[in-house]
């Protein structure tokens, strides 16, 4: 559904989620109006205190989004975790408003739940379902859940089928960095300080691998280095970071600048694009090159006017283009371009490290969107990468980008890790 986003419920959204859950269960005849469980379904305030309550929000004309779906993520040991074992997170009470069904909202909610589970370090996600819930079971299978019959359970005349999902292996910070290397790297006590003139956070942040003898002293040197470069001090906090680094950064007035999910998939069984992709102007041609030309770089930067600037602005823009070529050209990569009769309408980059391919820089012109061009570019990039020997693919997407998450989930990508950029204020 266009415009729907998934967020942790806040304020009145909590009570709305409870009312919706009960409404959905009653509509599906999973509970009776006199059943005490209906009251538990309505009590979302209690769920929000013990577990994570996600809601799918649909924008409205008055600017106040309406709750059209919800799901609860219950950690092991809470009252809402019925079958979760240590280290597992349990999905409970998935519900979509009856009038909003068959629009992909359930998939958005479950996909977001998996990303939150990975962000929280869960080793596995578990859920229970009834035999009658065939549509839900098809969704779970599509998202990578597997049935575990030995964990099936029930009570009285109800038999519940257990399905589990295990996060795939992430490429790791070093592989990710190798596909997007900074223009310059300075070592500070084993930490890799990226310097690229401010071109993207990935190329202008600290990759804190390992624990220096004195973390505070290392941060002091990092901040001095960025200050000399006239850039903000940005640190990536991920699995490879020293324990307690995130708390230390918060104390030093580093705010969360963004949260990024790493999504991965195997390259066997790629669905190559069939037929011709069309935009409003006509058929689209996809071309592959070993390096980006100015038109590709302009499409990625999002401002065609930059190539026609004059004077000091032209000099600054040429510097930016040189930086872009340096960063993008620092790893083996291919560059895909989509053109229709009006000109360039889309680009994507596929970079290689070890047996991985990293997809990035997907841009589709505004006039060519919602016609499957992003999907076609991504699939073609995966196919080209497989032909060049890559076995696995990954990409990075901001955690709040529900639309992109939905696209990539539909293409078989699954969440493997979440990292956070913290920037000093």
């Amino acid at each position: 559904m266009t415009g729907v986003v998934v967020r942790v419920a806040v304020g009145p959204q909590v009570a709305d989620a409870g009312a919706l859950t009960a409404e959905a269960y009653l509509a599906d005849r999973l509970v009776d109006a006199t059943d005490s469980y209906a009251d538990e379904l309505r009590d979302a305030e209690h769920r929000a205190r013990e577990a994570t309550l996600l809601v799918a929000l649909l924008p409205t004309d008055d600017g106040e989004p309406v709750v059209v779906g919800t799901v609860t993520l219950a950690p092991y040991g809470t009252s809402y975790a019925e079958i979760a074992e240590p280290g597992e997170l349990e999905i409970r009470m998935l519900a979509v408003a009856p009038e909003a069904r068959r629009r992909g909202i359930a998939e958005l909610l479950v996909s977001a739940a998996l990303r939150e589970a990975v962000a929280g370090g869960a080793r596995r996600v578990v859920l229970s379902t009834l035999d009658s819930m065939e549509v839900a079971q098809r969704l779970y299978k599509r998202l990578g859940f597997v049935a575990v019959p030995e964990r099936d359970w029930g009570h009285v005349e109800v038999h519940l089928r257990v399905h589990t999902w295990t996060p795939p292996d992430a490429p790791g910070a070093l592989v990710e960095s190798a596909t997007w290397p900074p223009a310059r790297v300075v070592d500070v006590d084993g930490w890799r300080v990226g310097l690229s003139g401010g071109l993207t956070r990935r190329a202008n942040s600290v990759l804190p691998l390992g624990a220096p003898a004195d973390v505070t002293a290392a941060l002091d040197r990092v901040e001095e280095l960025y200050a000399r470069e006239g850039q903000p001090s940005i640190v990536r906090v991920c699995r490879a970071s020293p324990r307690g680094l995130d708390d230390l950064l918060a104390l030093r007035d580093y705010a969360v600048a963004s949260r990024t999910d790493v999504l991965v998939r195997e390259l066997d069984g790629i669905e190559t694009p069939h037929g011709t992709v069309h935009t409003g102007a006509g058929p689209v041609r996809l071309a592959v090159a070993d390096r980006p030309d100015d038109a590709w770089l302009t499409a990625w930067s999002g401002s065609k006017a930059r190539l026609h600037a004059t004077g000091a602005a032209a000099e600054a823009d040429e510097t930016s283009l040189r930086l872009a070529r340096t960063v993008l050209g620092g790893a083996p990569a291919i560059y895909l371009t989509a053109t229709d009769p009006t000109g360039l309408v889309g680009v994507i980059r596929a970079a290689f490290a070890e047996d991985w391919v990293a997809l990035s820089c997907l841009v589709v012109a505004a006039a060519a969107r919602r016609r499957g061009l992003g999907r076609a570019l991504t699939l073609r990039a995966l196919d080209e990468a497989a032909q060049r020997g890559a076995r696995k693919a990954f990409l990075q997407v901001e955690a709040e980008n529900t639309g992109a998450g939905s696209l990539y989930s539909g293409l078989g990508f699954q969440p493997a890790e979440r990292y956070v950029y913290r920037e000093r204020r």
Side-chain angles (χ1 to χ4, degrees):
M1 180 184 284
T2 303
V4 172
V5 296
V6 177
R7 298 284 187 270
V8 174
V10 296
Q13 296 167 4
V14 175
D16 291 346
L20 182 149
T21 307
E23 175 194 6
Y25 273 61
L26 288 167
D28 293 338
R29 298 183 179 179
L30 296 173
V31 297
D32 184 89
T34 60
D35 193 331
S36 62
Y37 188 52
D39 294 330
E40 184 177 343
L41 295 173
R42 293 188 184 93
D43 190 8
E45 285 83 359
H46 186 240
R47 292 204 295 281
R49 290 193 297 271
E50 276 201 36
T52 299
L53 183 66
L54 298 180
V55 289
L57 301 171
L58 177 66
T60 59
D61 292 339
D62 63 8
E64 192 65 33
V66 60
V67 175
V68 292
T70 180
V71 69
T72 297
L73 311 181
Y76 166 77
T78 63
S79 65
Y80 289 99
E82 295 179 310
I83 59 169
E85 298 176 350
E88 293 182 340
L89 194 68
E90 187 168 346
I91 289 181
R92 294 285 316 278
M93 302 177 183
L94 172 65
V96 176
E99 67 275 12
R101 293 178 181 176
R102 294 182 175 83
R103 301 179 184 181
I105 294 174
E107 183 165 348
L108 284 177
L109 284 163
V110 177
S111 296
L114 297 182
R115 291 165 70 173
E116 290 300 317
V118 166
R123 65 178 178 88
R124 190 180 295 119
V125 177
V126 61
L127 59 82
S128 303
T129 184
L130 295 168
D131 285 338
S132 60
M133 296 178 175
E134 296 178 356
V135 174
Q137 289 180 34
R138 287 196 294 271
L139 168 62
Y140 301 144
K141 182 177 181 179
R142 187 165 66 249
L143 293 178
F145 281 84
V146 296
V148 188
E150 61 270 24
R151 293 184 65 176
D152 289 355
W153 65 291
H155 47 82
V156 193
E157 297 179 354
V158 177
H159 185 77
L160 293 157
R161 305 288 187 180
V162 174
H163 292 68
T164 66
W165 177 85
T166 303
D169 292 334
L174 286 176
V175 168
E176 292 175 44
S177 178
T179 64
W180 196 274
R184 182 162 61 100
V185 175
V186 177
D187 181 273
V188 174
D189 292 344
W191 288 2
R192 299 159 61 94
V193 181
L195 299 165
S196 304
L199 181 71
T200 75
R201 284 197 186 99
R202 270 184 285 177
N204 291 274
S205 55
V206 181
L207 195 58
L209 303 176
D214 188 335
V215 175
T216 300
L219 278 173
D220 288 340
R221 288 191 286 275
V222 164
E223 292 166 3
E224 290 171 3
L225 179 57
Y226 276 122
R228 289 198 300 270
E229 296 289 325
Q231 294 181 217
S233 181
I234 303 174
V235 180
R236 167 176 162 159
V237 183
C238 57
R239 290 179 185 172
S241 304
R243 185 183 299 274
L245 178 61
D246 192 62
D247 291 338
L248 177 59
L249 291 171
L251 289 173
R252 292 174 72 107
D253 206 25
Y254 280 74
V256 174
S258 69
R259 302 180 303 150
T260 301
D261 288 326
V262 180
L263 311 181
V264 309
R265 65 155 290 172
E266 302 285 338
L267 289 189
D268 56 334
I270 298 173
E271 176 194 345
T272 54
H274 294 287
T276 303
V277 180
H278 286 265
T279 64
V284 176
R285 174 177 174 268
L286 301 181
V288 183
D290 292 330
R291 59 181 57 85
D293 59 17
D294 284 351
W296 192 102
L297 289 169
T298 299
W300 173 53
S301 69
S303 176
K304 186 177 294 186
R306 294 177 63 180
L307 290 183
H308 305 289
T310 60
E315 183 178 349
D317 288 336
E318 184 56 38
T319 299
S320 296
L321 287 175
R322 284 199 303 271
L323 277 171
R325 291 191 185 96
T326 298
V327 171
L328 297 178
I334 55 174
Y335 300 82
L336 283 73
T337 304
T339 55
D340 70 6
T342 68
L344 190 153
V345 290
V347 298
I348 194 171
R349 175 181 183 259
F352 303 92
E354 298 181 10
D355 59 350
W356 289 90
V357 60
L359 301 189
S360 61
C361 307
L362 175 62
V363 176
V364 175
R369 292 174 187 167
R370 308 193 189 286
R371 297 185 174 95
L373 186 52
R375 176 184 176 87
L377 277 164
T378 302
L379 287 172
R380 177 65 182 276
L382 292 174
D383 184 53
E384 293 285 341
Q387 292 181 41
R388 288 162 172 78
R391 296 175 53 204
K392 297 172 287 187
F394 76 89
L395 50 83
Q396 294 136 312
V397 60
E398 290 198 358
E400 289 74 21
N401 192 338
T402 303
S406 177
L407 167 66
Y408 297 130
S409 174
L411 291 173
F413 283 88
Q414 297 188 336
E417 184 179 5
R418 177 176 291 175
Y419 61 85
V420 172
Y421 284 116
R422 280 193 175 270
E423 182 173 340
R424 193 177 189 192
R425 288 180 285 201

